[in-house]
Amino acid sequence: MSERRTAADAARNNGRPADPAAPLVRVRALMRHFSLDRRHRVKAVDGVDLDIPKGTALGLVGESGSGKTTLGRCLLRLIDPSDGSIEFEGRELTDLGARDMRALRSRMQMVFQDPLGSLDPRQRVFSIVEEPLLLLTDADREERRRRVVEMIGHVRLSEAHLERYPHQLSGGQQQRVGIARALVTRPELCVLDEPTSALDWPVRAEILELLASLRVGFGLSYLVISHDLAAVRRVCDRIAVMYMGRIVEEGPTQALFARPAHPYTTALLSARLEPEVGARAARRRLGGDVPSPVAPPSGCRLHPRCPIAVEDCRRVPQELLPIAADHRVACMRVTGDDAIDWPPDWQPGGDLKLTDAREETGG
């Protein structure tokens, strides 16, 4: 890190140099509740803790409605949390006003889910990519053009694309423009919300390879929000699994895929990934329906659907506890000492064979 950057970090942290060992992002007890009326609230995010170390990629997975996108938007203060703490390089974001947050926007950016819908149809690609530089930096016209042309090359488009409108681009090209717009200010953190969900399989593989390359080249940190488990497996170092507003499991990508510990994670993986050719499918199904986020179950929120739930699961809130190095699970049955009477088709890990991510993304 340069002396200039160190001094800038110290100024942002009230004169204290940023701790190089601290995570880039630290979230503690984060909540975001939406009021429906005077008596009812949707608990979209309800007590989340997570860290994103510098230069790493964290995948956030879970079924639709689990709170993933809300968490990502809270992290960037695109929506304000109801409670909790969000630190960016040791600086508490929830204490900052609009002016101070604006000064940080160039360092934290987002790639949105819908490539075409997130681009202004009235602007050419050059203006779309240039806009963050106009709003968030002091770069002059010549410098802005240089950086736009440079970034459009980094996302593997040509200068000719700069004169086109979004509707004149393919879906993959639109997403590359969205990525260029997010990275043109050279942020440290990029939140990617379903970055490949609107793309065909061959194009998904290209975008995933591009994202992995850009992370290494620019030293980026990612929060990758996705229901595409193959995508996060390919791009992310760690994965956090979210269910009904809470993190239920977090660990290194390979460890979590090789041996998922939480019943929800096991069911999620078996529902999405195809078994190897010739292997017997090992689908683990949860019973019942997802409860209402307006009135979530007491104790463990999975207990009405969980095959190993006991009476204490209905009463005792679950905490993320370690089961191995850097691997945490919010399940008292898994982290406790008592033997678990798993159903015959629910033995964790072992017989669930998962294909390589490159095969699943067509790469």
Side-chain angles (χ1 to χ4, degrees), residues 37-93:
D37 53 41
R38 291 184 178 180
R39 295 187 301 166
H40 300 96
R41 294 179 299 168
V42 173
K43 299 178 180 180
V45 177
D46 199 31
V48 166
D49 296 349
L50 60 82
D51 293 341
I52 305 178
K54 296 178 181 179
T56 66
L58 174 68
L60 187 62
V61 302
E63 58 198 311
S64 297
S66 59
K68 306 185 300 297
T69 295
T70 300
L71 175 57
R73 289 175 178 265
C74 281
L75 194 149
L76 298 182
R77 286 283 308 277
L78 297 180
I79 57 176
D80 287 328
S82 304
D83 201 358
S85 169
I86 308 167
E87 292 184 6
F88 181 80
E89 285 196 334
R91 189 173 187 182
E92 180 56 57
L93 298 188

Side-chain angles (χ1 to χ4, degrees), residues 154 186 210-220:
H154 282 305
R186 296 297 179 92
L210 174 65
L211 291 172
S213 175
L214 291 171
R215 179 165 77 94
V216 173
F218 293 155
L220 292 163

Side-chain angles (χ1 to χ4, degrees), residues 175-361:
Q175 191 63 294
R176 290 171 191 268
V177 171
I179 294 169
R181 177 180 59 184
L183 301 187
V184 73
T185 61
R186 296 297 179 92
E188 285 108 299
L189 173 69
C190 187
V191 175
L192 300 122
D193 187 8
E194 301 282 5
T196 60
S197 65
L199 306 176
D200 295 334
W201 282 108
V203 181
R204 289 189 191 192
E206 295 174 4
I207 295 298
L208 292 174
E209 191 278 327
L210 174 65
L211 291 172
S213 175
L214 291 171
R215 179 165 77 94
V216 173
F218 293 155
L220 292 163
S221 300
Y222 285 160
L223 175 65
V224 183
I225 300 166
S226 184
H227 65 272
D228 186 345
L229 297 171
V232 296
R233 188 182 189 188
R234 188 166 183 177
V235 173
C236 298
D237 307 297
R238 299 179 58 79
I239 293 177
V241 181
M242 199 165 183
Y243 179 72
M244 292 197 68
R246 293 180 177 175
I247 304 296
V248 297
E249 185 167 0
E250 181 190 0
T253 299
Q254 295 308 317
L256 191 142
F257 271 80
R259 194 170 182 84
H262 196 281
Y264 179 72
T265 308
T266 302
L268 191 68
L269 293 181
S270 72
R272 175 61 186 88
L273 298 182
E274 295 296 330
E276 294 175 353
V277 175
R280 183 178 64 86
R283 178 72 185 271
R284 283 76 182 261
R285 299 179 184 273
L286 295 170
D289 297 322
V290 178
S292 169
V294 177
S298 60
C300 174
R301 294 188 173 178
L302 188 68
H303 83 252
R305 310 173 66 198
C306 181
I308 59 170
V310 294
E311 184 59 33
D312 281 350
C313 299
R314 296 167 173 80
R315 298 186 295 102
V316 182
Q318 307 296 295
E319 297 181 16
L320 278 170
L321 299 175
I323 59 169
D326 297 327
H327 193 166
R328 300 185 301 160
V329 180
C331 177
M332 63 189 304
R333 302 301 316 281
V334 173
T335 59
D337 296 328
D338 295 338
I340 301 175
D341 185 17
W342 290 93
D345 60 343
W346 267 82
Q347 293 299 321
D351 63 330
L352 183 60
K353 297 182 178 180
L354 308 178
T355 61
D356 185 85
R358 287 169 294 186
E359 298 172 3
E360 298 190 45
T361 55

